[in-house]
Amino acid sequence: MTYRVCLVCMGNICRSPMAEAVLRKALADRGLAGRVDVESAGTGDWHEGDPMDERALRILTEHGYDGSAHRARRFTKDWFDRYDLVLAMDRDNLANLRRMAPAGVEVRLFRAFDPAAPPDAEVPDPYYGGREGFEEVLALAESAAEGVAKHIADEID
């Protein structure tokens, strides 16, 4: 059986697709690539069908990740049945997801899996900033992805 995880931000063109690429690599490094599907989505529909933000893609590519096939999607209520784990990039998206979630479904913050992060830590939205914001998102995603990969490994083994 395949374990499925979805990473969620606002528009699905910056944070969540960057985290998706990073988590895929972290899982592959643990030998779990064929056992876990990683996807991403947004809570808003502004960018549906669009590729990843070019700045996000550039940072990923420079660091050896591939996000070239990404197309933005919107997370909808009926998707909860598809995933074993749904992770939000920030508290606003966490609240949006929790309002949509059926009773008993847990949604968590992505950075909750980073042992160095404070409680309720978020991945900040880099959209209106410069390169440094995208570099920060990548660094935070790399830190949290290791913890998420460990959590998933523990769940499926």
Side-chain angles (χ1 to χ4, degrees):
M1 186 167 145
T2 302
Y3 190 94
R4 298 193 65 196
V5 59
C6 190
L7 305 161
V8 183
C9 68
M10 194 68 69
N12 192 221
I13 61 168
C14 297
R15 295 174 288 175
S16 59
M18 289 180 78
E20 175 185 351
V22 171
L23 181 56
R24 277 195 180 127
K25 182 177 182 317
L27 290 163
D29 290 348
R30 287 180 171 267
L32 299 174
R35 299 177 62 195
V36 182
D37 284 340
V38 181
E39 299 178 359
S40 65
T43 57
D45 63 357
W46 313 278
H47 300 288
E48 274 187 284
D50 291 347
M52 188 182 307
D53 182 287
E54 64 184 38
R55 298 164 297 174
L57 182 58
R58 185 177 314 114
I59 296 299
L60 282 177
T61 302
E62 288 173 6
H63 291 272
Y65 299 99
D66 182 14
S68 61
H70 177 77
R71 293 296 176 267
R73 305 175 316 147
R74 183 178 187 192
F75 193 99
T76 60
K77 184 177 183 165
D78 62 316
W79 286 22
F80 283 103
D81 290 343
R82 298 182 194 179
Y83 299 104
D84 299 292
L85 184 61
V86 177
L87 300 174
M89 295 293 116
D90 61 36
R91 288 185 293 278
D92 287 340
N93 286 295
L94 179 66
N96 289 337
L97 289 164
R98 284 182 173 164
R99 278 191 292 276
M100 281 192 270
V105 171
E106 183 182 17
V107 182
R108 298 177 68 183
L109 284 169
F110 178 63
R111 290 196 63 207
F113 294 89
D114 181 349
D120 291 330
E122 302 177 293
V123 177
D125 190 347
Y127 187 76
Y128 293 105
R131 179 183 176 89
E132 65 283 347
F134 290 89
E135 290 281 1
E136 179 185 17
V137 168
L138 179 62
L140 295 173
E142 288 175 334
S143 294
E146 289 303 318
V148 174
K150 182 184 180 318
H151 171 78
I152 292 171
D154 291 345
E155 288 281 310
I156 63 178
D157 285 337

